[in-house]
Amino acid sequence: MRLPGLVLPVLLVSAVACGGGAPSGSEDGGAIDINGAGATFPYPIYSKWFFEYHALRPDVRINYQSIGSGGGIRQLTNRTVFFGASDGPMTEDQIAAAPGAILHLPTVLGAVVPIYNVPGLAADLRFDGTLLADIYLGTVTKWNDPAIARLNPGVALPADDIVVVHRSDGSGTTFVFVDFLSKVSPAFRERVGVATAVSWPTGVGGKGNEGVAGLVSQTPGSIGYVELVYAEQNRIAHGAVRNAAGAFIRASPAAVTAAAAEAAANMPADFRVSITNAPGEAAYPIASFTWLLLYEQPEDKARSRAMVEFMRWALTDGQQHCEALGYAPLPPEVVSLELAALERVAVS
Amino acid sequence: MNGTLRRKVISALFVGACALAVVAALVPLAFILFFVASQGLQAISLEFFTGTPKPVGEPGGGMANAIVGTLMLVGLAALFALPIGIMTGIYLSEYSGGRFSSAVRFATDTLNGVPSIVIGVFAYGVAVLPFRQFSALAGGMALGIMMIPIIARTTEELLLLVPGAMREGALALGASRARAVFTVIVPAALPGIVTGVVLALARVAGETAPLLFTSFNNRFFSTSLTEPVSSITVQVFTYAISPYEDWHRQAWAGALVLVTIVFVCSLLARLATARVARIRD
Amino acid sequence: MNLRSPDLGFRLSAGAFALALAAIVVAIGVELTRQSWLSITEFGFDFWRSSEWDPVSGEFGALPFIWGTLYSSFAALLIATPVALGIAIFISELSPSWLRTPLVFLTELLAAIPSIVYGLWGIFVLVPAVRSLQMVTPEFLRQLPLFSGPPLGIGMLSAALILAIMVVPFTSAVAREVLRTVPNTQREGAYALGATRFEAIRAVMFYARTGIVGAIMLGFGRALGETMAVTMVIGNNPQVSASLFSPQHTMAAVIANEFTEAADDLYLHALIEIGLVLFVITLVVNALSRLLIWTMAGGGGTAARAKA
């Protein structure tokens, strides 16, 4: 009669031992399960890619969770996921902390847009880097502030408080946004700096691009920053931003491609490059590559093979899904550099 | 005379205030149930139970993978918690005196008070990092740790309710302590214990925080113990903070499923205990 | 001798499981300490005092989170306690017996609703309602530090309200158990002396005061560790502010938000140290409240031990 009480834990222990001890079996009835995590910025296109690719190759299931770029880097370093994704390239320290060489593979280009929820506006708002920096520093606090009125002549602005919304998690979207603000505003560089997670002087934190878009669409008088697709899919107003050449540009795939033109011609070997505040009359200033992060020598070769095959597909056929989701496809010269770099990933 | 009147008025006001407190708690309950039911019923469909999530922003899809995931996690939690919880409860009721029992009882109450998020951090440290893998097992373990104190305490309380005469009878017939416990005392309390276990299962099925970084989440249908799995709660969280209308609807549908599970379990437990009480009387 | 040995075997094997339970509690403490060691050695006591939470420069201080946790829990307690005690008194002392079971069932249901469902309801129903409330708050009130800041809806007030709703059934269940342990002679004695209902209940409450305080503290302990519902409505902004309208942060919420995302070791260790602090605080609060309830129940009695 005492047996049931004792047999159960023994079974459990052995189940844990077998399950945990096995080399995280990727072969599950012939299917290959690959886990990845990271940036929310490319989440819409990644989830589209993994969905489409699963239809194409039913044996490959790539599970991607958008936990933020900081998280992607962390979990990749801990090897709790097979691949990571980030909108900010890994820092030298982070690369040194990783247990193996990591390949940065640009997948698409995206734009971060300032979104706002100001009821009753007649026209789309225009911003420049200094103004956005001042709003996020908490020095501009009302929607009818002269600094906003000056850039938006003829727009009737309400006297409401500005509710600043930023990310509460580590985020590549934040990285791209503060990278731009720090380039144009010395005060912002001094006070906040550039990283995937920063110490904000003011505002409300939302988790993920989804969280920030959710907060802004729910909160009258708010301003936030999200990846373009989140603004478009939710029909949240987003403003034009003044670029380095002085033109006000609304984010679009073409304007992002224009921003990437110079970087594409001078791509460094490790693909880690910033394209915010890019020169060029048509360039949208808050644009970035987003990277998928892979170990060059992964332990699990079956997964590695599947992942490399997927990457080849994503860099070529996969690029056709970009524009519908508000991303800019990679310039062809970058694609060919990457296809060559993929050879470095060990598959057998 | 005047003084008596004043005292009566104060007393009546006090009784009114207590009744008002009951109303004050039941109004939010009614509100929450109303919103979950009305929003959830609009959103729920057959696809919700059979489909898996669609790519971001595309309408449709369902939570089949999350429903199966939750069942898996709760099953694993039970497997983990039942032996420890029930045996601890038996120990505490059989050997209630003594320093060790007091220490264990204190540990039980402490464990019951540990915030679920802290248990998640613990499970990440001992069940995710060493194996370099988010997994259903890690999530099940986190939930299991939460279940242990509930089960231990319920078991102890119910065993103590078993009439002493039953135990004495068994012992007098020459049964060993173990035999008396497992053939007489535990069977007598079994309906109550089962009820307690069902309630504990319902409670951990609604947990989110300990799963965020243990069982993680999975877009696909997975029944592997060593892979991340989806759960209704984590999926509702992901959908709730998103900006997509369609995902909000799915979050409400998920909430409806969760509340239904909790409601049915509580109701069954209530009916079961009512019956047990009547039999005992 | 021959008769005793199977009993000993039984005692030892059952005791082993009990020991496993205790070991889990110890293991949680050890593991949290081990995993936060970098932060403990780097910041020492400054960790508790500093309000700097800056992953860029690697400066971590837990003060805003401790503040937000205590503030939200106290505010919730302030709202929840009168309601919870009112319910406990109503059910155990005043209610007609046919109403008792349904009321107990409904309050238990309130306790059983998952945190995530509260959060969902909070985002879509409570927060907009609180925002409208803030919009109509008169200007002279908004000059006060308690009500300063723009009307977001999201923030301390929403968090406190939702926590209060969640704590009520918990505190009232324990208080009800405590009231049940008060001997009937107390009530009969009071009535015999010509007391009104209020006066009799006051006598009962006085008799049960230690246990009642324990029940309130247990509710407090529950509020401290609540994660999902709070993180969804509090605004996740680490600042030490007195305002009910301002977005703030709590210890449990920062872990849920940033745990998987902490990119370097010191950051992760700082987060786990917050978990350790939370663990220690809840441990102390629970120990104190259990002590009070046990004292009340006459030491080691199980009747008054919390059910919820």
Side-chain angles (χ1 to χ4, degrees):
Chain A
M1 277 322 281
R2 202 185 311 165
L3 274 180
L6 293 175
V7 168
L8 270 179
V10 171
L11 283 179
L12 182 71
V13 167
S14 51
V16 174
C18 299
S24 51
S26 56
E27 307 283 335
D28 183 46
I32 299 179
D33 285 318
I34 300 176
N35 292 302
T40 60
F41 176 98
Y43 182 42
I45 183 135
Y46 284 5
S47 73
K48 181 76 182 166
W49 276 352
F50 299 138
F51 189 82
E52 294 294 331
Y53 195 68
H54 180 57
L56 213 61
R57 290 278 308 272
D59 56 327
V60 180
R61 309 197 303 177
I62 307 178
N63 172 36
Y64 181 77
Q65 295 301 320
S66 59
I67 61 173
S69 293
I73 293 168
R74 171 90 233 168
Q75 301 308 329
L76 183 72
T77 308
N78 283 350
R79 292 188 180 244
T80 50
V81 292
F82 188 79
F83 67 93
S86 175
D87 314 320
M90 289 171 73
T91 63
E92 295 303 330
D93 287 348
Q94 287 166 344
I95 289 174
I102 288 171
L103 193 59
H104 282 69
L105 292 167
T107 46
V108 291
L109 289 148
V112 176
V113 294
I115 54 172
Y116 53 86
N117 178 351
V118 184
L121 276 188
D124 284 334
L125 291 179
R126 304 159 113 192
F127 299 94
D128 66 11
T130 326
L131 172 62
L132 287 171
D134 287 343
I135 291 175
Y136 273 86
L137 283 170
T139 51
V140 171
T141 60
K142 295 273 184 193
W143 278 107
N144 61 353
D145 192 281
I148 302 180
R150 197 170 54 241
L151 294 180
N152 296 283
V155 180
L157 293 159
D160 295 338
D161 288 318
I162 301 179
V163 177
V164 172
V165 181
H166 52 71
R167 290 285 289 270
S168 65
D169 50 346
S171 148
T173 311
T174 299
F175 182 92
V176 175
F177 190 62
V178 299
D179 184 47
F180 169 64
L181 297 188
S182 290
K183 278 182 184 171
V184 295
S185 163
F188 193 87
R189 169 169 289 276
E190 175 71 21
R191 173 73 181 78
V192 181
V194 182
T196 53
V198 298
S199 169
W200 294 103
T202 182
V204 187
K207 189 167 161 61
N209 265 302
E210 306 95 315
V212 171
L215 275 175
V216 170
S217 56
Q218 299 256 343
T219 315
S222 58
I223 185 168
Y225 59 90
V226 293
E227 151 62 14
L228 175 61
V229 64
Y230 288 90
E232 303 237 308
Q233 279 184 345
N234 297 286
R235 293 178 294 279
I236 305 174
H238 61 93
V241 183
R242 178 144 59 187
N243 67 11
F248 285 96
I249 305 291
R250 263 181 80 80
S252 68
V256 174
T257 305
E262 196 195 57
N266 306 298
M267 182 58 78
D270 62 2
F271 299 105
R272 293 190 294 155
V273 61
S274 159
I275 57 167
T276 54
N277 209 25
E281 193 67 34
Y284 179 75
I286 325 178
S288 175
F289 286 103
T290 179
W291 292 268
L292 199 137
L293 310 170
L294 276 179
Y295 282 109
E296 288 187 8
Q297 303 290 336
E299 283 168 12
D300 189 326
K301 299 299 188 271
R303 283 178 171 163
S304 178
R305 219 163 22 244
M307 196 65 206
V308 167
E309 281 166 18
F310 163 78
M311 278 308 300
R312 291 222 169 84
W313 176 84
L315 291 170
T316 50
D317 293 355
Q319 296 285 316
Q320 62 180 326
H321 295 294
C322 285
E323 307 234 6
L325 290 172
Y327 298 90
L330 294 167
E333 53 267 51
V334 177
V335 171
S336 49
L337 282 174
E338 282 187 71
L339 289 174
L342 268 177
E343 302 290 333
R344 296 218 294 272
V345 178
V347 293
S348 59
Chain B
M1 206 49 211
N2 213 358
T4 316
L5 185 66
R6 228 191 74 203
R7 284 168 56 213
K8 281 194 171 154
V9 169
I10 289 179
S11 187
L13 283 176
F14 178 75
V15 171
C18 287
L20 204 66
V22 174
V23 176
L26 294 187
V27 164
L29 177 68
F31 252 114
I32 290 169
L33 292 182
F34 168 76
F35 270 96
V36 168
S38 64
Q39 301 277 341
L41 283 175
Q42 280 174 31
I44 217 153
S45 63
L46 189 62
E47 199 187 5
F48 179 83
F49 294 100
T50 57
T52 54
K54 283 278 181 62
V56 177
E58 291 182 20
M63 279 201 200
N65 55 336
I67 294 170
V68 171
T70 291
L71 291 177
M72 270 173 72
L73 288 167
V74 169
L76 285 169
L79 214 59
F80 187 80
L82 283 178
I84 302 184
I86 291 191
M87 290 302 276
T88 304
I90 290 174
Y91 185 89
L92 289 178
S93 73
E94 288 295 309
Y95 307 99
S96 57
R99 204 167 280 174
F100 180 65
S101 287
S102 303
V104 168
R105 203 168 279 129
F106 178 71
T108 312
D109 288 342
T110 304
L111 193 56
N112 193 41
V114 174
S116 56
I117 186 91
V118 172
I119 289 174
V121 171
F122 173 70
Y124 179 83
V126 299
V128 174
L129 269 186
F131 305 112
R132 294 191 199 142
Q133 179 80 347
F134 295 105
S135 66
L137 274 177
M141 181 188 149
L143 294 186
I145 293 178
M146 300 199 58
M147 269 180 82
I148 292 173
I150 315 180
I151 294 180
R153 219 166 43 185
T154 317
T155 308
E156 183 199 356
E157 276 175 20
L158 287 159
L159 292 183
L160 286 174
L161 288 180
V162 175
M166 286 180 79
R167 167 190 332 234
E168 285 148 22
L171 291 175
L173 288 174
S176 68
R177 190 80 167 241
R179 212 178 155 83
V181 166
F182 286 113
T183 58
V184 177
I185 302 171
V186 169
L190 202 59
I193 294 177
V194 170
T195 305
V197 169
V198 168
L199 280 180
L201 286 173
R203 174 169 162 208
V204 298
E207 280 293 337
T208 316
L211 299 179
L212 291 174
F213 25 85
T214 51
S215 62
F216 210 46
N217 199 349
N218 198 332
R219 262 213 60 238
F220 295 97
F221 205 90
S222 168
T223 50
S224 163
L225 294 184
T226 54
E227 286 291 323
V229 291
S230 187
S231 52
I232 305 175
T233 48
V234 172
Q235 202 63 38
V236 168
F237 177 57
T238 312
Y239 284 174
I241 61 171
S242 82
Y244 308 111
E245 285 291 328
D246 200 61
W247 280 14
H248 291 170
R249 295 196 310 112
Q250 294 223 18
W252 284 109
L256 178 62
V257 171
L258 285 174
V259 170
T260 307
I261 293 174
V262 163
F263 187 80
V264 169
C265 287
S266 308
L267 204 62
L268 287 179
R270 196 88 327 250
L271 292 176
T273 41
R275 237 188 79 216
V276 169
R278 222 175 307 135
I279 290 168
R280 203 167 279 144
D281 294 345
Chain C
M1 201 54 208
N2 221 2
L3 276 172
R4 280 188 54 90
S5 66
D7 278 2
L8 188 66
F10 169 68
R11 181 169 192 169
L12 285 179
S13 52
F17 285 97
L19 191 65
L21 188 155
I24 290 174
V25 178
V26 175
I28 292 175
V30 170
E31 182 69 16
L32 291 178
T33 313
R34 202 173 63 82
Q35 302 262 12
S36 59
W37 196 245
L38 271 184
S39 162
I40 294 173
T41 48
E42 172 85 20
F43 303 117
F45 275 113
D46 285 344
F47 190 73
W48 304 68
R49 285 197 307 243
S50 163
S51 53
E52 195 74 18
W53 186 261
D54 188 352
V56 185
S57 60
E59 287 297 323
F60 298 100
L63 188 64
F65 307 106
I66 298 176
W67 165 264
T69 300
L70 293 179
Y71 189 176
S72 58
S73 302
F74 270 118
L77 214 59
L78 218 60
I79 307 168
T81 302
V83 177
L85 294 185
I87 294 172
I89 292 170
F90 189 85
I91 293 179
S92 81
E93 310 288 325
L94 301 169
S95 164
S97 57
W98 58 267
L99 194 59
R100 199 161 291 159
T101 312
L103 280 183
V104 169
F105 176 72
L106 287 175
T107 48
E108 273 173 8
L109 192 60
L110 203 55
I113 290 176
S115 166
I116 187 83
V117 175
Y118 279 107
L120 185 69
W121 181 78
I123 290 184
F124 293 107
V125 183
L126 183 66
V127 164
V130 168
R131 187 184 305 127
S132 330
L133 180 77
Q134 291 173 349
M135 302 265 236
V136 299
T137 306
E139 195 55 40
F140 74 91
L141 276 180
R142 291 184 55 188
Q143 303 296 327
L144 300 175
L146 191 60
F147 300 109
S148 63
L152 300 179
I154 283 173
M156 185 52 77
L157 184 58
S158 297
L161 283 173
I162 216 155
L163 269 179
I165 300 176
M166 298 177 75
V167 163
V168 161
F170 196 74
T171 309
S172 77
V174 184
R176 216 172 58 226
E177 294 291 317
V178 168
L179 289 179
R180 260 183 34 190
T181 65
V182 176
N184 256 333
T185 48
Q186 288 290 320
R187 300 180 180 89
E188 287 154 10
Y191 286 125
L193 289 173
T196 61
R197 267 186 164 176
F198 168 65
E199 286 154 353
I201 290 170
R202 198 172 52 181
V204 168
M205 293 294 279
F206 183 76
Y207 183 89
R209 62 194 181 281
T210 352
I212 298 285
V213 173
I216 296 170
M217 281 185 70
L218 267 186
F220 184 63
R222 188 53 39 134
L224 289 175
E226 177 47 47
T227 312
M228 300 316 292
V230 173
T231 191
M232 289 163 89
V233 301
I234 200 169
N236 301 324
N237 191 22
Q239 55 170 324
V240 177
S241 159
S243 175
L244 279 171
F245 287 7
S246 71
Q248 300 192 30
H249 220 327
T250 68
M251 292 193 269
V254 73
I255 301 173
N257 265 286
E258 301 183 14
F259 190 79
T260 49
E261 294 145 11
D264 62 83
D265 283 338
L266 186 60
Y267 189 1
L268 187 69
H269 280 232
L271 280 173
I272 298 182
E273 190 176 350
I274 289 189
L276 179 66
V277 173
L278 190 57
F279 176 69
V280 171
I281 294 182
T282 47
L283 198 124
V284 170
V285 169
N286 276 300
L288 280 178
S289 53
R290 294 293 173 191
L291 203 67
L292 289 173
I293 296 174
W294 284 4
T295 316
M296 160 77 195
T302 47
R305 290 171 61 213
K307 269 196 157 165

